[in-house]
């Protein structure tokens, strides 16, 4: 379930909570989404609010609705908002958020904060088109809500919101864990079965045939070796992903040459690029010893992953380019390809576990970039991706601290 789906599904959960708060406080309560649309309420408890509801106050284009919308938008932007309707009725608003993102606001109040007068009630009644005498009669029967009591109500409402939000976030995380479990089982069972089936089939064919053809035997064994390599890489990815999620993926940093690591990664990927007729080029700085503080094996795993992914997603005749931009504080390493690119809606998901696009289009479990991001973060770096869209290629940029900053 996406973040927006969690928000849309959660409005119903607020109805009972806000209705109970309205009943306990006697205040009018409504809830608005980020676009200013009323999603719940107004919940009415007092006779004064029932009288006000008989006017056009809370109609879709009513004065009260517009007043609440303005407060809701202000609260969403600033954290809270308050105002006096017709300089008499106190109305306040606090934001609603999920996973740190504001998606709406609760607006509450519509109570006099001091004893009012007949003239003030007459002024309000004229604007709303109701009887001033009835409004004044009802206002005299109800106690005002001073600022001190409104402050208490605000704290109670914030506590209610925090508690409900934590519950909603916990449920959303559980749903995501269940989804990830299902994806994990489906992906692993499918992807890991493929090379095993190929190995089993070729072994069966060899056992059924004459084993006196050395060339055919060598060819079949070579193919099986490749499938075993695929299986091994998937198992290693699963182990790395499990260690990453458990916080156990560790590095053993030391002074290492970034240029040497990149050259080793290039030499590893080069045979695959040549076989696919993809041009592999590099723009490396003149200095051979561009030193960084890091784990050489993990860094080589990182750049091998980025380069091999670029080759996989680039058709024959395309290019993959590695460029290093040294800096006093940070070094930038860019891997750019002319491959299939990444659609805008998939960009936020690129570094997630079991990346659907990566696993479907290039084989494997879709864990490579998930692991790569954590390797970069363990080195105090940042990894980003940009793409012009489908068919426009992609650029992955890794920013690593220069040696002085990293060792410090």
């Amino acid at each position: 379930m996406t973040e927006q789906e969690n928000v849309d599904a959660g409005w119903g959960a607020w109805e009972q909570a806000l209705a109970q708060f309205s009943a306990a406080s006697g205040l009018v309560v409504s809830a608005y989404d980020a676009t200013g649309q009323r999603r719940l309420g107004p919940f009415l408890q007092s006779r004064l609010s029932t009288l006000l509801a008989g006017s056009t106050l809370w109609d879709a284009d009513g004065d009260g609705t517009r007043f609440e919308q303005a407060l809701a938008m202000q609260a969403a932007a600033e954290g809270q908002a308050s105002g006096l309707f017709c300089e008499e009725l106190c109305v306040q608003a606090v934001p609603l958020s999920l996973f740190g993102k504001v998606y709406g606001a609760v607006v509450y109040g519509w109570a006099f904060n001091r004893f009012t007068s007949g003239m003030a009630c007459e002024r309000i009644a004229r604007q709303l088109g109701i009887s001033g005498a009835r409004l004044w009669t009802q206002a005299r029967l109800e106690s005002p809500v001073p600022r001190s009591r409104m402050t208490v109500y605000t704290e109670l409402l914030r506590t209610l919101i925090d508690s409900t939000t934590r519950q909603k976030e916990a449920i959303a995380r559980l749903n995501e864990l269940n989804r990830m479990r299902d994806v994990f089982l489906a992906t692993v069972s499918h992807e890991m079965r493929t090379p095993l089936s190929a190995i089993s089939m070729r072994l069966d064919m060899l056992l059924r045939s004459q084993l006196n053809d050395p060339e055919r035997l060598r060819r079949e064994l070579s193919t099986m070796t490749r499938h075993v390599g695929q299986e091994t890489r998937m198992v290693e990815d699963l182990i790395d992903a499990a260690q990453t999620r458990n916080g156990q993926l560790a590095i053993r940093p030391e002074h290492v040459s970034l240029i040497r690591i990149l050259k080793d990664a290039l030499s590893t990927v080069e045979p695959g690029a040549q076989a696919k007729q993809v041009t592999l080029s590099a723009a490396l700085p003149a200095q051979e010893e561009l030193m960084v503080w890091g784990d050489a094996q993990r860094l080589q795993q990182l750049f091998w992953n980025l380069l091999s992914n670029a080759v996989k997603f680039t058709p024959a005749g395309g290019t993959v380019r590695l460029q290093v931009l040294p800096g006093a504080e940070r070094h930038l390493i860019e891997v750019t390809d002319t491959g299939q690119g990444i659609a805008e809606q998939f960009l936020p998901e690129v570094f997630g576990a079991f990346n659907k696009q990566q696993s479907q289009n290039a084989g494997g479990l879709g864990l490579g970039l998930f692991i790569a991001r954590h390797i970069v973060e363990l080195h105090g770096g940042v990894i980003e991706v940009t793409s012009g869209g489908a068919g426009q290629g992609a650029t992955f940029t890794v920013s690593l601290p220069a040696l002085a900053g990293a060792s410090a």
Side-chain angles (χ1 to χ4, degrees):
M1 184 177 288
T2 65
E3 183 177 303
Q4 186 57 48
E5 288 171 339
N6 281 322
V7 170
D8 292 338
W11 285 109
W14 282 112
E15 186 165 6
Q16 183 178 1
L18 295 183
Q20 289 175 343
F21 174 75
S22 177
S25 64
L27 303 177
V28 180
V29 182
S30 298
Y32 286 80
D33 63 21
T35 66
Q37 177 185 355
R38 184 192 288 126
R39 301 297 294 262
L40 296 171
F43 298 105
L44 312 173
Q45 294 297 328
S46 67
R47 292 182 179 179
L48 175 63
S49 62
T50 303
L51 176 61
L52 293 174
S55 69
T56 60
L57 183 64
W58 290 301
D59 288 353
D61 59 345
D63 292 344
T65 298
R66 288 195 295 271
F67 192 77
E68 288 186 344
Q69 286 172 335
L71 288 178
M73 301 301 282
Q74 183 182 350
E78 301 176 7
Q80 63 181 25
S82 63
L84 289 174
F85 182 80
C86 289
E87 300 181 357
E88 293 290 333
L89 293 166
C90 179
V91 188
Q92 298 190 176
V94 292
L96 294 172
S97 62
L98 194 65
F99 295 111
K101 182 177 180 180
V102 175
Y103 65 90
V106 175
V107 183
Y108 56 101
W110 294 100
F112 293 104
N113 61 5
R114 54 186 172 81
F115 287 102
T116 188
S117 65
M119 292 180 59
C121 287
E122 187 63 38
R123 187 174 68 253
I124 297 172
R126 280 199 305 270
Q127 181 169 337
L128 301 181
I130 59 176
S131 168
R134 288 185 60 196
L135 180 60
W136 168 233
T137 299
Q138 191 59 55
R140 285 187 299 172
L141 296 176
E142 297 193 13
S143 300
V145 180
R147 291 183 179 180
S148 58
R149 195 191 310 171
M150 186 64 82
T151 300
V152 173
Y153 287 149
T154 299
E155 292 304 316
L156 288 173
L157 181 59
R158 286 188 180 276
T159 301
L160 174 65
I161 290 174
D162 289 343
S163 175
T164 306
T165 298
R166 284 196 297 271
Q167 182 183 28
K168 287 161 64 68
E169 290 177 345
I171 292 173
R173 289 190 182 97
L174 287 175
N175 289 335
E176 178 63 14
L177 285 174
N178 287 333
R179 186 192 71 81
M180 290 295 295
R181 180 198 61 191
D182 294 340
V183 171
F184 169 80
L185 292 174
T187 303
V188 170
S189 61
H190 172 73
E191 297 296 342
M192 298 192 74
R193 187 185 296 121
T194 301
L196 288 175
S197 298
I199 293 171
S200 178
M201 180 188 68
R202 291 184 180 279
L203 283 172
D204 186 62
M205 289 174 59
L206 282 177
L207 291 173
R208 290 172 181 272
S209 63
Q210 299 294 327
L211 299 179
N212 56 0
D213 184 348
E215 184 59 33
R216 180 184 177 187
L217 196 59
R218 187 179 298 106
R219 188 169 60 249
E220 296 293 345
L221 289 174
S222 176
T223 301
M224 283 188 281
T225 300
R226 187 173 69 251
H227 288 309
V228 170
Q230 291 175 350
E231 197 80 13
T232 301
R233 283 193 296 273
M234 284 189 280
V235 171
E236 289 173 348
D237 281 350
L238 284 172
I239 293 172
D240 285 345
Q243 290 178 337
T244 296
R245 285 193 170 276
N246 295 332
Q248 297 175 346
L249 185 66
I251 61 171
R252 297 179 176 85
E254 57 183 344
H255 292 181
V256 294
S257 169
L258 180 60
I259 302 301
R260 190 171 303 164
I261 290 170
L262 293 173
K263 285 183 175 179
D264 289 343
L266 284 166
S267 64
T268 305
V269 174
E270 190 172 12
Q274 291 177 349
K276 199 177 177 183
Q277 298 181 342
V278 171
T279 301
L280 187 61
S281 65
L284 303 179
Q287 59 265 44
E288 284 291 324
E289 299 298 327
L290 190 62
M291 305 299 289
V292 295
W293 182 251
D295 186 318
Q297 183 178 352
R298 288 299 185 185
L299 288 175
Q300 186 168 352
Q301 178 186 2
L302 160 69
F303 293 114
W304 173 85
N305 190 291
L306 295 179
L307 289 167
S308 61
N309 268 358
V311 171
K312 287 178 183 179
F313 289 112
T314 301
T319 61
V320 173
R321 178 177 174 80
L322 173 69
Q323 183 176 13
V324 178
L325 304 172
E329 298 292 332
R330 305 185 77 83
H331 303 312
L332 299 183
I333 305 94
E334 295 181 347
V335 177
T336 303
D337 65 69
T338 59
Q340 68 181 45
I342 304 169
E344 183 178 359
Q345 66 268 28
F346 291 124
L347 284 174
E349 304 173 7
V350 164
F351 298 106
F354 302 107
N355 184 286
K356 184 183 298 184
Q357 185 186 36
Q358 183 184 357
S359 61
Q360 288 180 348
N361 296 332
L365 301 176
L367 291 169
L369 294 177
F370 171 73
I371 297 168
R373 175 170 65 88
H374 284 276
I375 292 175
V376 172
E377 291 173 351
L378 285 172
H379 285 82
V382 178
I383 184 170
E384 298 175 332
V385 59
T386 57
S387 175
Q392 302 297 313
T395 297
F396 286 84
T397 303
V398 175
S399 171
L400 293 175
L403 183 56
S407 58

